[in-house]
Amino acid sequence: MGGVGEPDWEPAQRGAPLPTLRWEQVRRHNLPGDKWLVIERRVYDISRWAQRHPGGSRLIGHHGAEDATDAFHAFHQDLSFVRKFLQPLLIGELAPEEPSQDGPQNTQLIEDFRALRQAVEDMKLFEAKPAFFGLLLGHILAMEVLAWLMIYLLGPGWLPSILAALILAVSQAQSWCLQHDLGHTSIFRNSRWNHLAQQFVMGQLKGFSAHWWNFRHFQHHAKPNIFHKDPDVTVAPVFLLGESSIEYGKKKRRYLPYNHQHLYFFLIGPPLLTLVNFEVENLAYMLVCMQWTDLLWAASFYARFLLSYVPFYGIPGALLLFVAVRVLESHWFVWITQMNHIPREIGHEKHRDWASSQLAATCNVEPSLFIDWFSGHLNFQIEHHLFPTMPRHNYRRVAPLVKALCAKHGLSYEVKPFLTALVDIVRSLKKSGNVWLEAYLHQ
């Protein structure tokens, strides 16, 4: 069944008991084209099926030769439906004397987290409030209309144009949040409805590909702040984060003045991420992966935007307005999404359990009605990462339970003021740059 070499186990005959396997055997199958993983003590060969995985082969491949039980529960709503796809991949089960997890992991923490998840399910905190998300979509559409009416009624002068750009940027930011909810299938019970709605919000309201976003974002959730598995922190050689600072310093690599990266961050980070990096990466993904439906949705956004504003500004002016909105939106995206991650631990794979890995890479920001709305509830990053399919309006309710779990096991549950969280991004970049410089000069 494995993609490389001869099998080191005896496949089961139809109707016969499942072969028992040891972690030593499972551990050998974590190669390209040859991957096994463990879910609920059962061993699955995903070598050939990974390319068909709806979340992408990289996402499921990141859990190769690991116990993926908690990740399996975190990413899927309808487990009975998903198990139908797992059954043909089943090749064995862990031997009775084998632990459920490989390596030195906190078994009691794992059990307590799973008990917490069951309690959360019993409290019905995975059930969404349709009115909440309906209001979110309504206020996004209202802002789109308001921006156009402002130019229509007041003309394309400087002041109306600036106000319209600000309103459109807020609308774009809130659209990021809504499509994010849909991508995590946290609104509709039927995952197909979530995916269709996400294509509309991401495509028609933003001009991006839903499949592209899910491809990169699910990897981030599976292995947050892990180099070469989380695209959000695999940013070298432009920026050095966490352990990469020491590595680059020791190897005498100096592609940029990294001891000043906290300064050039303001020039190429917040202003250009959405306008340049995301636009190019998104278009390349749609073309290479032949996501033609997403491409049509994205084209409909640009057609609508140009048809709405070219009559007032002409083509150059409409493009300038588009760039202004993207740059403003990009600032929001970088600061809001990275304030919970960049200041945390960043490095190579540690093979931690689900709860420990998520808590090591995230922190929260003090809640308020404004911050909750402005950040799309991403200020509750800890709760979001532990329970990614949970509707965001329930984060406040689950937060005390998560905090109690962390206190019991001595885990960090960090909550910062909003401005401190923003400043910590720059502090972390400066610290990483100084670590690089010290290693560069003294090795």
Side-chain angles (χ1 to χ4, degrees):
M1 293 292 289
V4 178
E6 295 298 322
D8 51 2
W9 54 280
E10 291 296 328
Q13 302 297 319
R14 184 179 296 273
L18 285 172
T20 56
L21 299 165
R22 304 183 66 84
W23 275 112
E24 181 183 2
Q25 294 169 284
V26 174
R27 216 177 292 129
R28 296 172 191 155
H29 298 271
N30 189 24
L31 300 169
D34 179 23
K35 286 191 183 289
W36 293 3
L37 55 75
V38 177
I39 298 174
E40 296 166 345
R41 295 190 61 84
R42 293 197 157 199
V43 183
Y44 299 90
D45 182 351
I46 62 167
S47 305
R48 296 171 183 167
W49 187 80
Q51 293 295 333
R52 297 163 53 199
H53 181 242
S57 60
R58 288 189 188 179
L59 171 62
I60 194 170
H62 290 338
H63 295 284
E66 291 184 355
D67 172 42
T69 302
D70 291 311
F72 175 73
H73 284 263
F75 284 113
H76 303 103
Q77 284 185 321
D78 190 345
L79 297 182
S80 59
F81 174 75
V82 179
R83 285 192 176 100
K84 295 177 182 177
F85 295 91
L86 282 177
Q87 188 58 37
L89 311 177
L90 180 63
I91 59 171
E93 60 185 354
L94 291 176
E97 67 274 13
E98 288 290 297
S100 295
Q101 294 82 31
D102 187 25
Q105 296 188 9
N106 188 335
T107 303
Q108 188 59 54
L109 170 61
I110 294 171
E111 292 177 0
D112 287 349
F113 174 72
R114 291 175 182 175
L116 171 60
R117 182 177 179 88
Q118 184 59 56
V120 167
E121 291 176 0
D122 294 341
M123 294 169 66
K124 301 187 184 303
L125 296 187
F126 287 97
E127 294 185 5
K129 297 177 181 177
F132 175 87
F133 292 103
L135 286 173
L136 286 177
L137 176 60
H139 96 298
I140 290 170
L141 297 176
M143 284 188 282
E144 293 286 325
V145 173
L146 177 61
W148 184 85
L149 284 175
M150 186 170 294
I151 304 302
Y152 177 77
L153 296 175
L154 302 179
W158 279 105
L159 182 58
S161 298
I162 292 172
L163 292 175
L166 288 171
I167 293 170
L168 288 171
V170 174
S171 172
Q172 288 293 296
Q174 291 299 308
S175 294
W176 274 119
C177 299
L178 182 57
Q179 73 82 27
H180 175 252
D181 298 319
L182 290 161
H184 282 296
T185 65
S186 62
I187 298 181
F188 299 106
R189 290 181 180 273
N190 188 312
S191 61
R192 179 170 175 78
W193 283 106
N194 284 293
H195 296 319
L196 289 173
Q198 186 192 20
Q199 282 188 306
F200 166 76
V201 175
M202 195 60 160
Q204 165 55 220
L205 298 184
K206 292 202 59 60
F208 288 102
S209 163
H211 287 91
W212 160 77
W213 170 260
N214 293 340
F215 168 76
R216 62 173 291 134
H217 189 62
F218 292 168
Q219 292 182 72
H220 160 72
H221 270 272
K223 297 290 183 178
N225 285 15
I226 301 298
F227 292 140
H228 310 301
K229 293 186 177 182
D230 179 358
D232 290 0
V233 298
T234 308
V235 293
V238 180
F239 295 103
L240 300 184
L241 305 175
E243 295 174 4
S244 66
S245 304
I246 299 175
E247 293 171 5
Y248 268 59
K250 288 181 176 180
K251 294 178 180 178
K252 304 298 183 183
R253 293 179 178 175
R254 183 174 183 169
Y255 303 110
L256 288 168
Y258 298 120
N259 53 314
H260 298 299
Q261 65 177 1
H262 62 292
L263 299 177
Y264 68 71
F265 166 76
F266 289 93
L267 299 176
I268 63 175
L272 300 181
L273 178 71
T274 302
L275 177 64
V276 178
N277 181 268
F278 277 7
E279 290 282 3
V280 173
E281 187 180 317
N282 170 70
L283 180 59
Y285 179 89
M286 289 190 290
L287 294 176
V288 172
C289 298
M290 296 183 287
Q291 294 290 346
W292 308 127
T293 302
D294 283 6
L295 188 62
L296 288 174
W297 273 117
S300 73
F301 162 81
Y302 289 101
R304 174 177 61 84
F305 189 91
L306 293 174
L307 288 172
S308 298
Y309 293 103
V310 165
F312 303 109
Y313 294 100
I315 293 178
L319 291 176
L320 181 61
L321 176 64
F322 170 78
V323 169
V325 172
R326 277 287 191 256
V327 169
L328 290 169
E329 165 199 358
S330 187
H331 277 82
W332 173 91
F333 188 96
V334 171
W335 292 105
I336 293 300
T337 63
Q338 297 311 306
M339 64 183 180
N340 311 89
H341 291 299
I342 285 183
R344 302 293 288 170
E345 179 183 317
I346 302 174
H348 295 284
E349 178 68 83
K350 304 294 191 301
H351 298 289
R352 295 185 172 111
D353 62 88
W354 175 264
S356 297
S357 65
Q358 303 301 324
L359 287 161
T362 56
C363 66
N364 281 2
V365 172
E366 290 177 354
S368 69
L369 289 177
F370 173 76
I371 295 299
D372 291 357
W373 166 79
F374 186 67
S375 68
H377 288 82
L378 292 180
N379 51 321
F380 289 95
Q381 196 72 223
I382 293 173
E383 289 71 24
H384 172 55
H385 266 256
L386 290 174
F387 308 107
T389 61
M390 179 180 289
R392 57 166 132 147
H393 52 68
N394 288 330
Y395 291 160
R396 279 180 179 264
R397 294 180 61 191
V398 77
L401 303 179
V402 173
K403 190 174 183 179
L405 176 73
C406 292
K408 177 180 178 180
H409 291 278
L411 298 171
S412 172
Y413 185 92
E414 187 176 11
V415 183
K416 303 178 182 180
F418 179 62
L419 292 179
T420 300
L422 299 182
V423 172
D424 278 352
I425 296 176
V426 182
R427 288 174 179 161
S428 297
L429 289 169
K430 184 176 182 179
K431 180 180 178 180
S432 295
N434 289 337
V435 168
W436 166 82
L437 182 61
E438 183 177 351
Y440 184 86
L441 294 176
H442 293 91
Q443 290 294 327

